[in-house]
Amino acid sequence: VQLQASGGGSAQTGGSLRLSCAASGLRLDQYSIGWFRQVSGKEREGVSCMSGSDDGTHYLESVKGRFTISRDVDNSVFYLQMNSLKPEDTAVYYCAARDVPNTSASDIDYHYWGQGTLLTVSS
């Protein structure tokens, strides 16, 4: 299994950006997926996750209503659409997958990780 994250960059406050994670070696309808982020000196936190079995989703409270996780099973890509960005969203974002269909917001439950992609939101 390999995950390749992309789409990070710079954005203004209030702007939008979409992160992508290309997955190989797995089917996205059989694995649960997640996006995590980490700021230097802080613990990694779960931003959003999606069940592999029933499309159930979970969001970090601070991103609810602004971020949306989605997946394209046929093309084996999943996304994190980020709207109304805030400076506090600045972090390195990671995509992850776990080989059980039920979702989890805890990074220790994930087996596969993409490389990080940096998002910087300026005020």
Side-chain angles (χ1 to χ4, degrees), residues 13-121:
T13 295
S16 297
L17 212 62
R18 188 178 74 166
L19 303 181
S20 301
C21 186
S24 60
L26 59 85
R27 281 189 58 86
L28 293 181
D29 54 355
Q30 296 176 358
Y31 284 62
S32 57
I33 56 176
W35 288 96
F36 294 79
R37 67 187 182 187
Q38 188 169 26
V39 176
S40 180
K42 295 187 177 181
E43 291 188 356
R44 187 161 52 190
E45 64 179 357
V47 177
S48 182
C49 52
M50 173 180 275
S51 167
S53 59
D54 61 5
D55 291 343
T57 57
H58 171 81
Y59 292 93
L60 182 69
E61 191 63 33
S62 63
V63 308
K64 281 182 180 178
R66 301 190 297 121
F67 291 11
T68 303
I69 190 171
S70 63
R71 65 184 178 189
D72 180 342
V73 175
D74 291 339
N75 290 301
S76 204
V77 183
F78 60 101
Y79 305 98
L80 184 68
Q81 177 67 43
M82 305 181 291
N83 299 329
S84 302
L85 286 165
K86 303 176 180 181
E88 51 262 44
D89 294 321
T90 295
V92 177
Y93 284 73
Y94 299 88
C95 58
R98 61 195 297 255
D99 59 3
V100 292
N102 55 304
T103 192
S104 171
S106 175
D107 62 351
I108 64 172
D109 291 332
Y110 285 77
H111 307 105
Y112 308 104
W113 291 85
Q115 88 291 0
T117 184
L118 175 64
L119 168 66
T120 303
V121 183

